[in-house]
Amino acid sequence: MAHDDGWQEAEVDFGGSKLRYRVKGDGPPLLLLPHDNGYPPDDTFLDTLAADWRVYAPWLPGFHNSNPEDWTWLRDTRDLSLVLSAVMRDLGLHDLTVVGLGYGGWVAAEMACANPLLFRQMVLLAPMGIRPDHATIYDQFLVGSEHYARRCFHDIDAFERVYTPEPPFEQLEAWETDREALIRLAWKPYLYDPSLERLLAGAHVPTVVLHGDDDRVVPRECSERYVAALQDARLIDLPNCGHAAEVEDPAGVARIVNEVRPKVAV
Amino acid sequence: MEILYFTEQPMSAYPEEAATDEIPIGGGKTQRVTALLFSNKHFSSEEGSRLYKERMEEYKLADEMGFDGIMLNEHHTAPFCMSPRINLFAAMLAATTQNSKIVLLGNPLPVNDNPVHLAEELSIIDMMSGGRLVSGFVRGGGVENIQANTNPAFNRERFEEAHDLVMAAWTREGPFRWEGKHFDYRVVNPWATPLQRPHPPIWIPGVASKETVMWAAKKGYPYIGLNTNFDVSDKIKQLYSESAAEAGITAGPQHFGQLLQCHVSDDEEKAERNAQEFMWMRGEFTGLAHPVWGSPTGYGSPSNRKSLIEISNGRRPMIAPPSKDQRKLDKTFVWGKPKQVIDQLKTVIENNRPGVLALWGNDGRINHEDSKLCIRLLGEEVLPEIREFAKSLDIKSPSDTGAGYNLHLESPIPEYRKVEV
C-alpha cells in the first residue's frame, strides 16, 4: 500500500503471525529498528535517511501497529530478533546497514550475533541489552508512558514540537501497546540479556555507537561496553541530545549514518 | 453465616510526618507516597516487635470470643500492612488458637515463584490446625508484583497455573512432572498434604475484577467482596451467578462474602475517634502510590484499559477512596457502640445476604487496649445477635453447604507426566 509521502506499507507472514513494515527510497538497503516506544508522529529522521537509502522500517513484532495479538508467543528479545532476521532473509535482503535506536539497538545486536552476514554495518544509538555495572537503565515501568517519553529528550520543547504539549489519547494508547510488548519481553532481566555481551564477540560487523550526552535513560557505560565487546566499533557522543537523539537532531544522526554509506549501492 | 475478624496489621508506629516525598504522577501533578518507594528507614523493629505481639494476643482473643475465623492477608513495602508472608501468621495461629478457622485472603499466587513449596506450607498449616485452614488466593496487587519482580503481563496466567499446580500437589498422587508455561518441576511429590480432603476450601477475595469473579464462579469458590458497596456487591452477585450457572452451579449466599470496616467501642466518642484511624493515608487502604504501581501495564483488566491509560498519565484523577461519611452511608464502614453496630450490620446482612461476613475491626493507630475492647464487644454482644439474625434469614455459609471445593478436579495424573527412572 503506497502513501502520499512516498512510504509503502507491507505485511509479511511468519508462521501465521503478521509483521508490518514500511519502505521508502532507492539507495542501498537500510534497516531501521525503532525505540521501545515506537516511531514519533513526525517522520523527519526516516525521510532524511530515505533520501540516500532504501529504508525498511518495521513495527517491532508485538508492538503498536504490528498485530500485537499475533506475537504474544515471543518470550524474549532474542526471539524477536530471530523473527526479524528470518523476515529479512525472506525478503531477500542482505548486506544491510542497520540503524538500531535504544531498544532497537539491542535487537540489531542480537541479529548481528546470530546472523553477522545479514549486515554490512551497524549504527547503534544508546543500545540497551547490556547491564551497566555503575548505573542502571532508567526504569520506565515505574512511571507513566508519557513521563518516560519526555525523559527521552534533552530539550523538552523538542518533545512538545513532535508530540504536542499534551499528546492525544491515541498516542498514549500506542505507547501503552508498546509497553505491553516490552514488558512481556524484557521485564526481567530489565532490558538486558546476561549473555549478550559475550556473544558480541561473534558479531563481526563494523559498528558506530552513538550516545546523546544528556541521555537520561541508557547510561553511557552501556555504549562503552558495546564498543569494547565488538571487534570493530567506535563511539561518537552527540551533543545536546537525550535518548531520542534521532528526533532531537535528525540531520546530525542521519549525517553520521550517511558517512558509513557504501560507495556503491548493493 | 460465618463471621471473621480481620485487621491489616498496620505498622502504625512510623512517623507520619516522614511521608513527605512527592513523586510526579503525570499531568504536572505530584503525590505523596506511602508504598513501594517510601523508605523503610522509618520502620522501627522495636515497635514492630511490640505490634506483632499485640496482634497475636488480639487474634487469640478473637478465637476465644467465638469468631468463626481469623482472616489474614499479605502486603509488602508499605506501612499499612505488617504481614509480608501470610503463611507465617497462619502457622502461628495454627499452633496457638483452638477453634477459629484460619482464613487466608489470600496468598498472592503469581508472586510466589514456588507453588509447590506454597502447597507444602499450606498443608502443614492445615494439619497443625486440625483442618481449620481456608486457603484463599489472590493475584496480588500491582505493588506486590513489582516488589517481587513478577511480570505483570503474566499475572493472570501465573495465577491460574499456580492454582492448578497447588491443586495437583494437594490432590494427585506423586511423584509427577509439571511442565507448564510459567512453572516447571522435574518432580512434584510433596511429603506434606492437607488434612482436609479433597483439599482445604478455597475462597477468592477481590474488589470486583470481572475476570476473577467469573473464574471463581466457574470453580464454585466463594467470592469475598473487599469493602464493596451494595451496588458493586450486587453486580458481583449477578456476574458470579451467571458464570456459575454456565458451569452447572446454582449460586447462593454460601458463594458470597463481604468484608467491611467495623469498629466497636463502649463509648460513642471513642468509637468516633478510632473510626477516624481507618482514614489514615487519606483512606487509601493499600497506601498512597503512583497509579502505575497500583496497576502496572499488563496487569489490569482489558476492559479498564482506557481509564488505566488516562489515569497513569495524569489525564484522569485516580479514583479517590470514599470519605468516612460516604462509607457510613454505603454501609462499608460501621462504628459505634454495640447496639448501633448491630443495627447497621443487620442492614448489610439483609441486603447482601453474605455467607461470610468479615469484620475489619481495627486499623491505623487504634491502641492495643481499644483493639481488644472492640474484639471483646464484638464477640460478647454483636456476634450472637447477628448470627441469630442471619439464621432467621436462612443465610447459609460455605461450611454449611460445602462450597469452596473445586468441582472440576482433574482425573489422576496422566501417564506421560509420571516420573520414570
Side-chain angles (χ1 to χ4, degrees), chain B residues 252-277:
Chain B
Q254 69 273 19
H255 292 108
F256 302 109
Q258 186 72 50
L259 168 72
L260 55 85
Q261 296 171 322
C262 172
H263 183 74
V264 189
S265 190
D266 56 358
D267 174 90
E268 217 168 313
E269 207 175 293
K270 189 156 63 172
E272 183 73 38
R273 202 169 50 243
N274 280 341
Q276 191 56 39
E277 288 299 325

Side-chain angles (χ1 to χ4, degrees), chain B residues 51-66:
Chain B
L51 289 166
Y52 280 126
K53 288 172 186 165
E54 289 179 359
R55 292 297 90 80
M56 185 52 83
E57 209 178 302
E58 291 159 18
Y59 287 140
K60 284 199 272 190
L61 179 62
D63 180 42
E64 289 161 19
M65 286 293 115

Side-chain angles (χ1 to χ4, degrees), chain A residues 142 146 167 177 179 183 187, chain B residues 149 151 293 297 305 313 315:
Chain A
L142 294 182
E146 181 182 341
T177 306
R179 180 182 284 222
I183 280 180
W187 172 268
Chain B
N149 213 5
N151 193 324
W293 307 347
T297 295
R305 191 166 188 265
N313 285 291
R315 299 295 167 78

